[in-house]
Amino acid sequence: MFKMTLFYMTVAVSSLFGVKGQSISDPTEFQAFLDNFNRQAQVVTSREAEVAWTYNTNMTDYNLKILLDEKLLLAKFSQEAYRNATRFNLTVMTPEKRRLFIKIMDIGTDAQTNETKLAYLHKVQSDMEDIYHTAKVTMPSGQLLPLFPDLTHILAKSRNYAELLAAWSGWRAETGGKMKNLFAEYVELSNEAVKILGRFLHCHADTGAYWRSWYETPTFEDDVRALFDQIRPLYEQLHAYARRKLKQIYGNDKFPSSGHIPAHLLGDMWAQQWSALVTELTPYKGKPTLDVTDEMVRQNYTPIKIFQTAEDFFKSLGMKKMPDKFWNKSLFEKPKDGRKIVCHPTAWDFYNKRDFRIKQCTLITAQDLETAHHEMGHIEYALQYKDQPVSFRNGANPGFHEAVGDVISLSVQTQEHMHAIGLIPNVSNDTESDIDFLMRMALEKISVLPIAYLIDQWRWGVFRGDTPPEKYNEQWWNLRCRYQGVSSPVALDSSDFDPGAHYHIAAGVPYIRYFVSKIIQFQFHKALCEKAGHIGPLHKCDIYNSKEAGTLLSEMLKLGSSKPWPEAMYVLTGQYKMDARPLMDYFEPLLKYLRQENGNDYGWHPHYATSSQESVSRQNKALLTFVLTTVTTALLSSCVF
C-alpha cells in the first residue's frame, strides 16, 4: 500500500502544472494554475495528515519512518508549486489571486532544496517530540511516571514541596536535558531554510521573523508588547495574591526575598495555568462549588457525552454539526491496548472537506469538558471554511484559531450555562460568588499570559542569534523572572535546557498565538454578547441558543485566511486592531478586589537569579525530606514496625 502511494505522489509532484515561460500575465493561466494546485494539494495534504494521525495514535518506529517519508514528499510538492508560482506576474492579479499565489509560495522550511538537510531537519524535530512524548521520571519512591496523567496529577494535587520538586526537576532532566543539542541543530537548519525562502518571496532574516510574518503587521512586536502592558496590572495583582496564599501553605522560607514564586508550586508543570490552585485561592469559602467534575461523574458522563455536549452548544447557535466521520474516527480517550500515543489534545483537518477529527485523552472533569469545547471550536472553524481554496483553509491569523474555541468556553464556564445544561442546581447572583467565579477564570486565562508572551520572545532571540546555546537556559529564566515573576527552585546550569520541558518548544510550534488568542477572545466575546442581546456584566454572558450570535461568528469563520486578519476582526467586532480593554472590563471586579486585598504587597524584582548554593541546599533538603517521608510511610503501611 505504501509503495503504491509513494509512486502516485511522485507522479503528482513531477507532473504538476508544467507551466512554461516567465512572468505569465494571462488571467486564464492564473486560474488554471490555481485550480490544478487546489486539486493536487487536497490529495497530498490529506495523505500527510492521515499518516501523521496514524503515528500520533500509535507511536512506533515503523509509523515514524512512514511519516518522515511522507513529509519529504509533501515538501517536494510544495517546492514544485513554489517554483511554478514564481513564474507568474503578481502585479497584474486581483488582490485575492495575489494572496493565493503568495500563500502557495510561502512554504516555510520546505524551501530547503537540499533533501539531506531537509530530511535531517524533519528527523531532528521528530526526535525532540519523541523525547518529550516518551519521557518518564523516576521518583524518589522508585515509581517511573509519565507526564500524563501521573506527573500532571502530582503537580495539580500534591501540596508536598519535596514531591513537587522531584516531579518538576525530574521532568526537566528527562525532556529538555536530553534535547539541547538537537534544538541548536534545529535552529540552524530552520534558519537556513527560511532564508532560502526569502530569496523569492519575503526577506526573512530568521525563523522568528518568518513566524511573525504570518500576522501581516509590521508593528507586530510592538503591538503585543503594548497589549502585555495593558494586562500587566491584573497579572501583578493575581501573582501577589497567589504568592501570599502559597506562603501560608509552604512557609516563607521556601520563597526568595525577590518576590518570585518557585515555579513548581503553581499547579502545573510550567506554572502557566493555575487552575489546580482554585481551592486554595478561592476568596470566599463555603460558597457553592463551580467545579462540576463530581456532578459530571454522578450523571455518568463519558468522553462521548462530553463531546456531544460540546456539539450541542454549536448546534444551539445554528452552526454546523460534526460530520459522521468525526464520530467514527476521532480518538476521545486513551487506548487501553498499551499503544504509545500523543495525548496532547489536538483537532485535525484532513483537507478533503469530509474528514475532521479530535484526539484527546479525555477524563471526566470540568477541565476536559472545557477542552472539548475548545478543540471542537477548531473543527467548527475548519467546517466553516472548508469550501475555500486549500491555501485559505486556516485561521485569519494563528491566534484566531485558538480564540474561537476559547470564546465558546467563556460562555460554557458561566454559572448560567452550567445551570442550563443541568450541572449546577441554581445560579448565585451575589457579589462574593462573582468574585469566586472571576478568580477561577483568572487562574485559567490570566495566569498564562506572561509565559504565552515570553516563550516566543525567548525563541525570537535564539533565532536572531542574540542568545547562543550556552545562554539558552540563563536567558529563559531571565525572561521568566522578569515577566512571569517565577524562579527556578534549583540551581541553574548552562548545560541544562529547561525550555525543552515545554511541548511547544520541543514540537517547534509558535506560542505567541496563545497570547494573541487570550486577548482577542474577549473582543470576540463582547461582540457576540452584544449580538445576542446580553445585558449586564460581560462575565455573566452566555450566548447559548443565540442564532444571531452564531450567524455573526460564522460570517467571520467562513473567511478562513482569505482576508488579512484585521478585516476578519472587523467582520465580527467592528474593530481592526487587537485590544485588551474587553479583557480588562471582564475582570474589573476581580482587579478591584485584589487591589484591596494586596495593598502595597505586590510585584517582584525583575532580575532575580537564584544563587547556586542557596538553591542546591534547598533542593537537597527538600528531596531528603521527601525520601524520608516516603520510606517511613511505606514501612508503616507494610507493618514492619
Side-chain angles (χ1 to χ4, degrees):
M1 177 69 73
F2 180 57
K3 288 183 180 179
M4 291 175 63
T5 303
L6 282 177
F7 173 76
Y8 171 77
M9 291 183 66
T10 302
V11 170
V13 170
S14 63
S15 63
L16 185 65
F17 317 130
V19 182
K20 305 294 183 182
Q22 293 292 325
S23 195
I24 299 167
S25 299
D26 183 352
T28 303
E29 294 199 51
F30 297 165
Q31 194 59 51
F33 173 90
L34 293 172
D35 290 344
N36 269 315
F37 172 82
N38 211 52
R39 283 193 295 269
Q40 299 282 12
Q42 287 189 152
V43 173
V44 295
T45 52
S46 181
R47 174 62 194 175
E48 194 270 345
E50 189 69 60
V51 171
W53 174 271
T54 299
Y55 174 69
N56 274 257
T57 56
N58 189 11
M59 296 175 67
T60 66
D61 291 342
Y62 175 75
N63 287 341
L64 176 59
K65 181 183 183 305
I66 294 176
L67 175 59
L68 293 176
D69 288 343
E70 203 71 35
K71 284 181 178 294
L72 276 179
L73 287 170
L74 182 58
K76 289 179 181 178
F77 172 86
S78 299
Q79 290 167 1
E80 183 74 8
Y82 169 84
R83 283 192 293 270
N84 281 288
T86 60
R87 298 175 181 175
F88 289 82
N89 184 355
L90 273 64
T91 64
V92 299
M93 295 180 184
T94 63
E96 181 181 12
K97 282 190 170 54
R98 186 182 308 117
R99 187 172 179 82
L100 276 169
F101 270 83
I102 289 172
K103 285 187 174 292
I104 290 169
M105 290 188 285
D106 191 13
I107 62 174
T109 55
D110 284 349
Q112 176 58 268
T113 54
N114 183 317
E115 188 171 318
T116 301
K117 286 188 174 183
L118 184 58
Y120 188 59
L121 172 58
H122 290 164
K123 184 178 186 304
V124 167
Q125 291 178 296
S126 175
D127 286 349
M128 288 193 295
E129 285 196 69
D130 189 61
I131 289 169
Y132 184 92
H133 290 304
T134 60
K136 293 184 178 181
V137 172
T138 302
M139 296 292 286
S141 62
Q143 291 178 291
L144 187 63
L145 303 180
L147 177 64
F148 184 88
D150 303 270
L151 297 175
T152 300
H153 181 81
I154 289 172
L155 268 293
K157 299 299 183 181
S158 176
R159 297 299 176 258
N160 181 314
Y161 186 95
E163 184 180 23
L164 292 169
L165 181 58
W168 185 91
S169 57
W171 178 251
R172 274 143 189 79
E174 294 300 322
T175 53
K178 296 183 176 180
M179 70 175 73
K180 180 180 178 181
N181 292 338
L182 286 171
F183 186 81
E185 290 184 291
Y186 157 74
V187 170
E188 181 179 348
L189 290 164
S190 182
N191 275 347
E192 180 181 334
V194 299
K195 287 176 183 177
I196 293 171
L197 174 68
R199 293 175 189 172
F200 297 99
L201 187 59
H202 300 293
C203 185
H204 300 307
D206 54 61
T207 302
Y210 171 61
W211 288 356
R212 292 191 297 276
S213 74
W214 301 342
Y215 292 87
E216 304 180 86
T217 308
T219 59
F220 180 67
E221 283 189 87
D222 292 335
D223 293 344
V224 294
R225 187 180 302 113
L227 290 168
F228 185 78
D229 287 340
Q230 273 187 285
I231 61 87
R232 187 195 298 267
L234 176 56
Y235 178 78
E236 286 177 343
Q237 295 295 330
L238 181 66
H239 176 280
Y241 184 85
R243 181 178 61 204
R244 188 166 59 257
K245 296 295 184 181
L246 291 172
K247 282 183 176 181
Q248 294 171 8
I249 297 172
Y250 298 104
N252 288 341
D253 64 316
K254 298 295 194 301
F255 290 75
S257 58
S258 59
H260 294 85
I261 299 174
H264 63 309
L265 302 182
L266 285 161
D268 81 0
M269 190 61 81
W270 312 277
Q272 65 184 28
Q273 273 201 338
W274 305 352
S275 299
L277 301 179
V278 65
T279 299
E280 291 82 356
L281 301 188
T282 294
Y284 297 103
K285 311 300 182 185
K287 308 296 291 186
T289 180
L290 300 178
D291 185 345
V292 297
T293 296
D294 290 344
E295 184 62 21
M296 290 170 64
V297 172
R298 193 189 71 78
Q299 292 187 23
N300 297 316
Y301 267 69
T302 63
I304 289 291
K305 185 174 180 180
I306 283 176
F307 282 93
Q308 289 171 337
T309 303
E311 183 191 40
D312 177 67
F313 193 102
F314 289 96
K315 287 163 60 177
S316 83
L317 302 180
M319 300 177 77
K320 295 182 181 294
K321 69 175 186 177
M322 298 297 105
D324 291 342
K325 282 182 182 288
F326 173 85
W327 298 108
N328 296 332
K329 293 193 172 186
S330 290
L331 188 151
F332 296 129
E333 54 188 315
K334 189 174 184 178
K336 296 179 174 62
D337 55 12
R339 273 182 285 160
K340 286 195 301 183
I341 77 164
V342 178
C343 264
H344 190 83
T346 44
W348 295 64
D349 179 357
F350 286 77
Y351 292 95
N352 56 18
K353 302 185 181 184
R354 302 181 305 278
D355 197 348
F356 306 85
R357 308 176 199 172
I358 284 174
K359 174 184 58 60
Q360 180 174 318
C361 299
T362 314
L363 302 175
I364 309 306
T365 65
Q367 182 176 347
D368 277 15
L369 177 64
E370 179 204 341
T371 301
H373 284 82
H374 173 90
E375 296 302 332
M376 195 170 282
H378 287 298
I379 300 296
E380 184 67 33
Y381 207 162
L383 287 169
Q384 293 282 352
Y385 61 55
K386 69 181 177 63
D387 293 321
Q388 291 279 1
V390 170
S391 299
F392 287 161
R393 292 184 204 169
N394 214 328
N397 72 35
F400 269 59
H401 237 299
E402 298 301 328
V404 168
D406 273 0
V407 75
I408 298 302
S409 77
L410 289 175
S411 285
V412 169
Q413 294 181 83
T414 61
Q415 290 187 71
E416 287 75 10
H417 186 73
M418 288 299 154
H419 177 64
I421 63 174
L423 287 176
I424 61 174
N426 50 57
V427 176
S428 301
N429 290 311
D430 58 285
T431 301
E432 292 182 352
S433 294
D434 278 359
I435 296 299
D436 282 356
F437 171 74
L438 287 172
M439 175 63 76
R440 185 182 187 87
M441 295 301 291
L443 295 177
E444 175 190 338
K445 302 289 186 180
I446 304 305
S447 63
V448 73
L449 286 169
I451 197 166
Y453 175 71
L454 72 85
I455 283 179
D456 280 353
Q457 298 291 326
W458 177 82
R459 244 184 319 202
W460 296 342
V462 170
F463 286 131
R464 274 195 299 261
D466 298 342
T467 307
E470 64 271 18
K471 295 289 187 181
Y472 280 173
N473 220 43
E474 178 184 334
Q475 179 61 4
W476 172 257
W477 282 104
N478 283 342
L479 291 172
R480 294 197 70 181
C481 285
R482 178 181 176 185
Y483 292 113
Q484 204 182 3
V486 302
S487 59
S488 172
V490 300
L492 302 181
D493 191 297
S494 62
S495 65
D496 291 335
F497 184 57
D498 289 348
H502 200 290
Y503 167 76
H504 293 78
I505 298 289
V509 178
Y511 207 72
I512 198 69
R513 65 184 60 179
Y514 297 99
F515 178 81
V516 169
S517 77
K518 289 293 184 288
I519 300 297
I520 65 177
Q521 66 186 251
F522 288 91
Q523 287 180 269
F524 294 174
H525 186 55
K526 181 179 180 180
L528 293 171
C529 290
E530 289 174 353
K531 194 68 174 179
H534 171 74
I535 298 174
L538 193 56
H539 66 267
K540 287 182 170 293
C541 171
D542 174 18
I543 63 170
Y544 188 55
N545 285 324
S546 173
K547 299 296 191 295
E548 295 80 7
T551 298
L552 179 60
L553 182 57
S554 296
E555 287 176 1
M556 185 194 78
L557 300 186
K558 68 185 179 183
L559 293 174
S561 61
S562 64
K563 303 287 185 185
W565 71 261
E567 295 185 35
M569 170 78 81
Y570 186 81
V571 168
L572 179 55
T573 69
Q575 297 173 283
Y576 287 108
K577 291 185 176 182
M578 297 182 287
D579 183 9
R581 281 178 296 180
L583 180 152
M584 295 300 288
D585 290 345
Y586 183 99
F587 286 105
E588 183 180 7
L590 179 65
L591 179 57
K592 182 179 178 180
Y593 168 83
L594 291 173
R595 281 176 167 156
Q596 291 173 342
E597 289 292 307
N598 294 331
N600 293 322
D601 180 22
Y602 67 92
W604 57 87
H605 192 286
H607 302 301
Y608 172 78
T610 308
S611 71
S612 299
Q613 186 60 45
E614 177 189 3
S615 59
V616 168
S617 174
R618 190 187 311 130
Q619 180 190 21
N620 290 342
K621 180 180 177 182
L623 287 175
L624 178 61
T625 301
F626 177 64
V627 170
L628 289 175
T629 302
T630 303
V631 171
T632 301
T633 302
L635 289 172
L636 287 170
S637 64
S638 59
C639 300
V640 173
F641 293 157

